[in-house]
């Protein structure tokens, strides 16, 4: 084994030298200790005197960081040496095993001159594997090959384990050089050791690798130290800014001065943090507010303050010289915000005892305060036309300015919007406001009964005016109603009561109770006058809300009764609908679903301008007109034309009449007919929004349907558009109240509608629910009508069509074809009736109609037979005389079909007849004979 080094490993590029930091600019020193604080924009180092607290913290942090970086660097050096040695062992073992098990190694060892045969391969293996030596030994440890020829023939040390057949790696110390080596035995076919292979890396090369890595480690350690020192400098800079460059002694002195001044001043001072907890209170504040000894760090609501002070300090409101009671004192309170700490803005409050001064002008101020209170109550009570909300506004106005607790009880009939009854001894608690929680008063919704005659509440109802109980502790009649509840209220601290009947137009609507707790003074006669005035104003607002609720309920009931109570049964569409009245009252939005012959379905939505009963009645008239016109089976554009004519006539009659009814002009309507046979939908609209179409994959489109003017404008033709709808598509029809609101225009509403319905797996019911939840507020400003229909297609196997030549002999052939088709459908029991109906209709079409003549039968929940021709002349049912030779065909059709009729197409007409399956009536032969014999 030679001490010669192998090829040097790749050297890592040295890290770039850190740039030389520029010297920080100087600043002017502070003149004396009482001079101005250092500017926040100055540099750190000129201000970091060792005497300052910031400098001492900086030095301590720098020493700690230096120690941590040194320990980390040492650990990295040890780890690097360990990893290098481990890698050298693995590489040496791999090289030795590869050479020992190489083909030809065993044969070379058994040859007469193994050195000659193995020296060159060993050198190539050394160079290829990157180790410092590969040496082949015989079974006795004598070197057969070695990178140093002088060592060939010498005996290697410490290879006995390999001679015994064991492979091992070790750190070798000895001649010719210290190294990390691996020794692998070479065995013949009989597993006998005939030689050994030793490979390794010299220690000096391992040290060379570590020396290459050491600059990187030291550079990283230096960088970490620089970053840590920079972080410590930033922390010290912030500390320097906050301590203004003071040292520990100076800060102690400043605190002593501050403490002396703060507690010597004759004003109470409180400092409250952003979280509402007390940070500081001086001695005067403790005296004036009677604070507990452990007041520090407690929330202001836990300090036993009065409701006014508690509310003011908790809200963080800034006030100047606001007078508030604190026990038997009147304090002038000033509050100001202070700079935020920990992300929240604090509050400093000062208190001056102005009890004697305020006593002189107290009555005038109280009077002004009460007038101001009543004025504010007038603006805050009755903002809505809701009975419950008006009662809540009454209780909220009075707390805490007049009472600590206010309860409002109303008659159940008043809550329902009905006329109040004479039974006033049972009321429902409707509103409750409190200045603090945990009170024992009955909650909202409880039934309050006045069964004891001598309680203050019963006395107030009997007298019709307020009753004052200044001290509840001495009032025995108050306890008679509920002794246990009265005891709990007294234990809680409630001590004074004013109860006032809530009357309007001389009728009792309810009862209002004002309660005061332990922190408030007793009620007096002046408080009673204010309470009566306040309740009288609220009673008018509650009565108005009750009347509005009654009228609104009547209007909503009327409109809902005019809308479809239930959707009709049909097989062409799966339908879901919604109607939501507006907050301000009912409106004129409406929808309808109308089954048509041939399994077709008509869908319509409309909107009448305005709100109220007039709009609801107008909507009912238009809906009834659409129902009547649809019975004629008109095309959508023709139906809207007739509806427009009707609206024009109604407007003309309204203009000539002496009343104030608004005209109908401006009403919008959309009418669509869906045919499940071909999936075609014909749509016409008069001033209405186009429907949204969602295909079976969830793609949403807003088709371009021709737009005609609103109903009643006149002078413009109506046009229809046609849509091709695949099975599973959804047609969304809606009024503008769904997508338009005060805070959102129509385009934004349409975008939101598209994103809401763009789901392939939504059912119509789920679509309606999603649209109502996503697009509408809790109380919409306009009424909303919504109709969602998912299409179904009639299977082609359930439709049969025949073109019939104008030849009477073709009737029997078509009748036979229809009979065979009915047999295929399993409708043999309906065959005779269908053949009879078909014969009459087809004979009339050939005899009186115009080609082309076509027969179509449709199978759904009913059986429909249609005969069309090119003539626009409609047959009519008449009773033939006994001497007439014809005229009995349609009579037979009307007798044996459940329904029949005529509808007009673009060219010609269609006469249809419908039969109910499984309930078919076989014709009575005698009746048929009699009809034919006329």
């Amino acid at each position: 084994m030679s001490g010669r080094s192998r090829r040097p490993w790749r050297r890592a590029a040295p890290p770039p030298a850190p740039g030389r930091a520029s010297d920080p600019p100087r600043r002017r020193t502070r003149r004396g200790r009482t001079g101005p604080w250092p500017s926040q924009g100055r540099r750190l180092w000129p201000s970091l005197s060792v005497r300052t607290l910031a400098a001492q913290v900086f030095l301590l942090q720098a020493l700690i960081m230096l120690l941590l970086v040194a320990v980390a660097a040492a650990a990295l050096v040890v780890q690097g040496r360990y990893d290098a040695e481990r890698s050298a062992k693995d590489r040496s073992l791999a090289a030795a095993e590869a050479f020992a098990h190489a083909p030809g190694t065993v044969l070379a060892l058994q040859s007469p001159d193994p050195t000659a045969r193995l020296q060159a391969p060993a050198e190539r293996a050394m160079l290829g594997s990157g180790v410092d030596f590969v040496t082949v030994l015989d079974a006795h440890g004598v070197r057969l090959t070695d990178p140093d020829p002088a060592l060939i023939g010498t005996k290697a040390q410490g290879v006995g384990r390999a001679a015994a057949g064991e492979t091992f790696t070790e750190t070798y110390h000895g001649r010719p050089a210290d190294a990390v080596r691996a020794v692998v035995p070479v065995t013949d076919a009989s597993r006998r050791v005939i030689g050994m292979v030793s490979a390794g890396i010299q220690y000096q090369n391992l040290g060379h690798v570590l020396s290459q890595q050491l600059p990187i480690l030291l550079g990283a350690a230096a960088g970490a130290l620089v970053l840590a020192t920079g972080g410590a400098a930033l922390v010290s800079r912030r500390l320097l800014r906050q301590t203004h460059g003071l040292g520990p002694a100076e800060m102690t002195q400043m605190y002593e001065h501050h403490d002396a001044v703060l507690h010597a001043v004759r004003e109470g001072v409180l400092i409250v943090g952003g979280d509402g907890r007390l940070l500081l209170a001086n001695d005067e504040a403790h005296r004036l507010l009677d604070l507990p000894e452990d007041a520090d760090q407690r929330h202001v609501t836990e300090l036993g303050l009065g409701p006014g002070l508690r509310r003011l300090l908790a809200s963080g409101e800034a006030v100047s010289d606001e007078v508030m009671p604190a026990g038997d004192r009147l304090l002038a309170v000033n509050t100001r915000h202070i700079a935020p700490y920990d992300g929240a803005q604090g509050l400093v409050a000062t208190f001056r005892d102005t009890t004697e001064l305020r006593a002189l002008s107290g009555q005038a101020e109280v009077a002004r305060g009460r007038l101001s209170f009543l004025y504010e109550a007038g603006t805050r009570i009755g903002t809505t036309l809701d009975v419950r909300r008006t009662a809540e506004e009454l209780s909220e106005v009075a707390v805490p300015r007049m009472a600590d607790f206010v309860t409002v009880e109303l008659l159940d009939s008043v809550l329902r919007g009905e006329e109040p009854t004479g039974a006033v001894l049972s009321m429902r608690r409707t509103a409750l406001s409190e200045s603090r929680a945990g009170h024992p008063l009955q909650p909202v919704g409880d039934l309050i009964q006045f069964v004891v005659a001598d309680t203050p509440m019963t006395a107030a109802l009997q007298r019709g005016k307020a009753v004052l109980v200044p001290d509840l502790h001495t009032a025995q009649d108050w306890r008679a109603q509920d002794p246990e509840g009265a005891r709990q209220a007294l234990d809680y601290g409630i001590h004074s009561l004013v109860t006032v009947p809530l009357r309007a137009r001389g009728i009792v609507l309810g009862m209002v109770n004002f309660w005061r707790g332990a922190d408030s003074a007793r009620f007096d006669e002046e408080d009673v006058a204010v309470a009566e005035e306040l309740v009288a104003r609220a009673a008018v607002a509650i009565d108005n809300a009750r009347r509005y609720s009654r009228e609104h309920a009547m209007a909503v009931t009327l409109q809902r009764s005019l809308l479809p109570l239930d959707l009709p049964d049909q097989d062409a569409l799966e339908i879901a609908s919604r109607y939501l009245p507006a907050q301000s009252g009912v409106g004129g939005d409406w929808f309808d679903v109308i089954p048509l012959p041939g399994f077709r379905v008509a869908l319509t939505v409309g909107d009448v301008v305005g709100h109220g009963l007039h709009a609801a009645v107008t909507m009912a008239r238009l809906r009834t007109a659409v129902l009547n016109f649809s019975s004629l089976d008109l095309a959508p554009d023709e139906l809207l034309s007739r509806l427009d004519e009707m609206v024009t006539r109604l407007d003309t009659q309204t203009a000539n009449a002496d009343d104030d009814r608004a005209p109908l002009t401006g009403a919008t309507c959309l009418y669509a007919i869906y045919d499940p046979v071909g999936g075609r939908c014909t749509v016409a609209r008069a001033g209405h929004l186009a429907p949204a179409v969602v295909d079976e994959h969830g793609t949403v489109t807003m088709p371009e349907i021709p737009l005609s003017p609103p109903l009643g404008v006149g002078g413009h033709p109506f046009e229809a558009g046609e849509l091709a709808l695949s099975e599973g598509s959804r047609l969304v029809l809606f009024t503008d109240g769904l997508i338009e609101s005060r805070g959102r225009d129509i385009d934004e509403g349409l975008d939101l509608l598209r994103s809401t319905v763009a789901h392939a797996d939504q059912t119509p019911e789920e679509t309606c629910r999603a649209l109502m939840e996503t697009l509408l507020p809790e109380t919409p400003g306009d009424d909303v009508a919504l109709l969602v229909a998912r299409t179904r297609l009639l299977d082609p196997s359930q439709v049969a069509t025949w073109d019939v030549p104008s030849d009477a002999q073709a009737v029997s052939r078509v009748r036979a074809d229809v009979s065979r088709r009915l047999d295929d459908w399993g409708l043999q029991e309906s065959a005779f009736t269908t053949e009879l109906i078909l014969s009459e209709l087809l004979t009339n079409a050939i005899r009186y109609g115009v080609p082309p003549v076509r027969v179509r039968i449709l199978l759904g929940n009913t059986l429909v037979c249609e005969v069309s021709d090119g003539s626009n002349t409609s047959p009519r049912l008449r009773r033939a005389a006994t001497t007439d030779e014809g005229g009995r065909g349609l009579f037979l059709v009307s007798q044996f079909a459940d329904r029949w009729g005529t509808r007009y197409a673009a060219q010609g007409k269609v006469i249809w007849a419908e039969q109910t399956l499984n309930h078919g009536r076989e014709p009575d032969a005698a009746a048929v004979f009699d009809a034919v014999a006329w």
Side-chain angles (χ1 to χ4, degrees):
M1 183 175 62
S2 173
R4 182 181 57 184
S5 173
R6 62 182 177 86
R7 292 176 299 173
W9 291 4
R10 180 178 299 176
R11 296 179 178 269
R20 183 172 179 268
S22 60
D23 295 335
R26 295 184 178 180
R27 67 170 177 86
R28 292 177 295 177
T29 59
R30 188 162 45 90
R31 297 181 180 179
R33 296 184 178 177
T34 60
W37 303 116
S39 173
Q40 295 184 359
R42 297 175 182 174
R43 296 294 185 181
L44 172 65
W45 300 108
S47 300
L48 277 183
S49 171
V50 181
R51 299 180 58 186
T52 64
L53 180 63
Q56 295 176 12
V57 172
F58 171 72
L59 292 176
L60 179 59
Q61 289 179 327
L63 290 175
I64 293 174
M65 294 303 173
L66 180 60
L67 178 60
L68 292 178
V69 170
V71 172
L76 290 175
V77 170
V78 173
Q79 181 66 34
R81 187 171 186 84
Y82 171 78
D83 291 343
E85 185 175 337
R86 180 66 177 269
S87 176
K89 286 182 179 180
D90 294 341
R91 183 174 297 186
S92 300
L93 180 60
E97 286 185 338
F99 195 83
H101 300 309
T105 302
V106 175
L107 296 177
L109 286 171
Q110 293 174 348
S111 65
D113 190 2
T115 299
R117 298 186 62 179
L118 294 175
Q119 178 66 22
E123 292 180 354
R124 289 195 300 270
M126 177 188 69
L127 295 175
S129 60
V131 297
D132 288 338
F133 61 89
V134 175
T135 302
V136 182
L137 313 175
D138 62 9
H140 302 290
V142 177
R143 294 182 178 87
L144 299 177
T145 68
D146 195 90
D148 186 358
L151 296 177
I152 296 176
T154 62
K155 188 172 182 179
Q157 302 296 324
V159 296
R161 288 187 295 168
E166 179 184 354
T167 299
F168 66 91
T169 59
E170 66 178 357
T171 301
Y172 174 77
H173 298 282
R175 295 180 60 82
D178 296 340
V180 175
R181 70 175 183 177
V183 184
V184 178
V186 180
T187 59
D188 58 6
S190 62
R191 309 300 295 175
R192 180 173 58 87
V193 177
I194 61 174
M196 295 168 281
V197 176
S198 175
I201 299 175
Q202 295 180 4
Y203 245 78
Q204 63 181 7
N205 289 333
L206 292 180
H208 176 69
V209 173
L210 188 60
S211 298
Q212 291 179 330
Q213 297 177 350
L214 189 58
I216 300 177
L217 296 177
L218 294 179
L225 181 59
V226 171
L227 291 177
T229 305
L234 292 177
V235 172
S236 298
R237 180 175 180 178
R238 181 174 180 83
L239 183 59
L240 178 67
R241 185 183 300 116
Q242 294 179 347
T243 60
H244 301 287
L246 296 176
E250 292 174 310
M251 294 184 66
T252 302
Q253 184 181 15
M254 183 184 68
Y255 173 76
E256 292 173 350
H257 293 170
H258 150 269
D259 191 62
V261 173
L262 182 66
H263 293 289
V265 71
R266 297 305 297 171
E267 277 194 2
V269 178
L270 291 184
I271 298 180
V272 181
D275 58 353
R277 296 189 177 277
L278 181 62
L279 301 180
L280 183 145
N282 67 351
D283 295 340
E284 186 68 6
H286 276 271
R287 185 184 71 84
L288 293 176
L289 301 177
D290 195 18
L291 298 177
E293 293 296 332
D294 58 344
D296 290 349
Q297 298 302 320
R298 292 176 63 177
H299 200 273
V300 293
T301 58
E302 303 172 357
L303 300 179
L305 303 176
L309 282 175
R310 188 164 58 244
R311 177 192 58 81
L312 177 62
L313 296 178
S315 65
E317 180 182 357
V319 298
S320 296
D321 289 332
E322 182 167 340
V323 178
M324 290 189 172
D328 56 354
R329 298 185 181 91
L330 289 176
L331 303 181
V333 184
N334 291 273
T335 58
R336 292 290 183 273
H337 293 122
I338 58 177
Y341 295 100
D342 297 330
Q345 194 171 41
L347 186 76
V348 59
T350 61
F351 307 89
R352 295 194 315 274
D353 190 354
T354 61
T355 304
E356 296 181 359
L357 178 63
R358 292 295 175 179
L360 301 176
S361 57
Q363 294 181 352
E365 291 183 0
V366 169
R368 285 196 299 270
R370 287 170 175 169
L371 290 176
S372 175
F373 168 67
L374 291 175
Y375 173 78
E376 179 184 348
T379 60
R380 291 177 55 185
I381 297 175
T383 59
T384 66
L385 290 173
D386 182 82
V387 173
R388 296 181 184 274
R389 181 55 193 156
T390 304
E392 292 172 356
E393 289 172 345
L394 168 60
S395 63
E396 292 169 357
V397 164
V399 176
R401 293 185 60 178
M402 182 176 177
D404 296 324
F405 308 93
V406 174
T407 60
V408 181
E409 290 83 43
L410 296 178
L411 298 173
D412 283 337
S413 57
V414 174
L415 292 174
R416 294 192 297 267
E418 302 171 358
E419 287 292 334
T421 63
V424 296
L425 299 182
S426 179
M427 301 182 184
R428 185 77 56 183
R429 178 148 293 173
T430 308
L432 189 155
S433 293
E434 69 277 354
S435 59
R436 56 193 176 101
H439 56 80
L441 300 177
Q442 291 178 255
V444 172
D446 276 12
L447 187 65
I448 309 298
Q449 295 182 340
F450 309 108
V451 296
V452 179
D454 55 352
T455 60
M457 292 76 173
T458 306
L461 291 174
Q462 292 175 350
R463 300 174 190 173
K465 62 180 182 178
V467 172
L468 168 64
V469 184
D471 189 358
L472 293 174
H473 292 85
T474 60
Q476 298 300 324
D477 54 354
W478 173 69
R479 303 169 186 255
Q481 175 76 28
D482 183 8
E484 178 61 24
R487 184 190 62 78
Q488 294 178 1
L490 293 175
D491 293 343
Y492 182 76
I494 296 176
H495 63 80
S496 191
L497 166 68
V498 173
T499 178
V500 185
L502 200 153
R503 297 161 55 90
R505 297 179 291 110
I507 301 175
V508 175
L509 305 178
M511 172 74 65
V512 183
N513 297 311
F514 301 87
W515 313 80
R516 281 186 180 175
D519 296 332
S520 303
R522 298 177 180 177
F523 286 114
D524 55 23
E525 292 298 334
E526 293 184 357
D527 294 321
V528 173
V530 175
E532 286 184 326
E533 179 66 21
L534 177 65
V535 173
R537 297 186 182 189
V540 175
I542 290 177
D543 191 52
N544 290 338
R546 177 193 63 81
R547 290 167 174 256
Y548 170 78
S549 298
R550 180 184 61 183
E551 294 177 1
H552 180 71
M554 292 174 56
V556 170
T557 302
L558 173 62
Q559 184 174 33
R560 290 192 181 277
S561 66
L562 297 176
L563 289 171
L565 300 179
D566 196 6
L567 299 179
D569 293 332
Q570 42 79 36
D571 290 340
L573 296 170
E574 179 186 354
I575 298 178
S577 63
R578 290 290 190 278
Y579 173 76
L580 189 64
Q583 179 184 11
S584 58
V586 297
D589 288 12
W590 54 279
F591 65 89
D592 212 342
V593 179
I594 308 170
L596 298 177
F599 305 135
R600 296 170 303 133
V601 179
L603 304 175
T604 180
V605 292
D607 185 4
V608 176
V609 177
H611 295 89
L613 290 176
H614 176 72
V617 172
T618 301
M619 173 271 295
R621 299 170 76 179
L622 291 180
R623 175 172 175 260
T624 303
V626 171
L627 284 172
N628 291 333
F629 290 146
S630 64
S631 64
L632 301 177
D633 212 343
L634 302 176
D637 52 344
E638 186 177 351
L639 184 142
L640 290 183
S641 297
R642 296 199 180 189
L643 193 63
D644 180 67
E645 294 175 1
M646 186 201 77
V647 170
T648 302
R649 288 197 303 272
L650 291 176
D651 281 345
T652 302
Q653 296 173 3
T654 301
N656 296 331
D658 292 334
D659 58 26
D660 56 353
R661 288 181 295 176
L664 302 184
T665 303
T668 67
C669 181
L670 182 146
Y671 188 82
I673 296 178
Y674 173 71
D675 188 351
V677 175
R680 313 298 295 184
C681 183
T682 306
V683 185
R685 56 182 179 138
H688 203 84
L689 294 168
V693 178
V694 188
D695 65 14
E696 67 274 18
H697 305 296
T699 303
V700 183
T701 58
M702 306 295 290
E704 293 291 337
I705 305 297
L707 178 62
S708 301
L711 299 175
V713 175
H716 298 274
F718 289 87
E719 298 182 60
E722 192 169 83
L723 304 176
L725 303 179
S726 57
E727 187 167 12
S729 299
R730 279 171 289 157
L731 194 64
V732 183
L733 288 71
F734 52 90
T735 56
D736 57 356
L738 179 68
I739 60 173
E740 188 178 15
S741 63
R742 292 181 179 178
R744 182 181 63 213
D745 59 20
I746 291 183
D747 292 336
E748 293 175 345
L750 288 175
D751 292 339
L752 189 57
L753 181 143
R754 291 189 188 97
S755 62
T756 303
V757 302
H759 300 282
D761 55 347
Q762 274 187 343
T763 64
E765 182 64 29
E766 292 171 345
T767 303
C768 287
R769 183 166 55 251
L771 287 172
M772 300 298 280
E773 293 175 354
T774 304
L775 274 73
L776 294 181
E778 183 177 354
T779 53
D782 193 8
D783 49 342
V784 176
L786 173 64
L787 194 64
V788 179
R790 183 159 63 182
T791 60
R792 301 187 182 114
L793 292 180
L794 196 63
D795 192 279
S797 62
Q798 297 175 286
V799 180
T801 306
W802 293 270
D803 290 325
V804 182
S806 297
D807 185 359
Q809 295 181 356
V811 175
S812 60
R813 185 174 65 253
V814 173
R815 187 170 58 234
D817 292 340
V818 170
S819 179
R820 284 191 294 270
R821 179 55 62 93
L822 294 179
D823 290 341
D824 294 340
W825 288 344
L827 301 177
Q828 293 84 355
E829 69 277 5
S830 302
F832 181 75
T833 302
T834 305
E835 290 179 11
L836 177 62
I837 294 172
L838 177 64
S839 296
E840 297 300 333
L841 296 181
L842 188 56
T843 301
N844 282 341
I846 294 175
R847 179 176 299 177
Y848 305 110
V850 176
V853 178
R854 176 172 295 180
V855 173
R856 186 174 74 164
I857 57 174
L858 308 174
L859 176 62
N861 56 352
T862 59
L863 180 65
V864 178
C865 178
E866 298 179 345
V867 177
S868 62
D869 65 86
S871 171
N872 289 325
T873 302
S874 175
R876 60 185 180 87
L877 179 65
R878 64 185 180 89
R879 190 175 188 88
T882 56
T883 58
D884 291 341
E885 295 183 0
R888 298 174 180 84
L890 290 180
F891 175 76
L892 293 176
V893 171
S894 66
Q895 292 297 309
F896 300 117
D898 293 286
R899 293 193 307 155
W900 73 281
T902 303
R903 70 172 183 269
Y904 293 93
Q907 295 180 349
K909 66 179 181 298
V910 177
I911 304 177
W912 56 272
E914 183 177 274
Q915 304 173 67
T916 302
L917 299 178
N918 300 325
H919 301 285
R921 297 177 298 171
E922 286 295 333
D924 185 0
V928 174
F929 179 79
D930 292 342
V932 173
W934 283 351

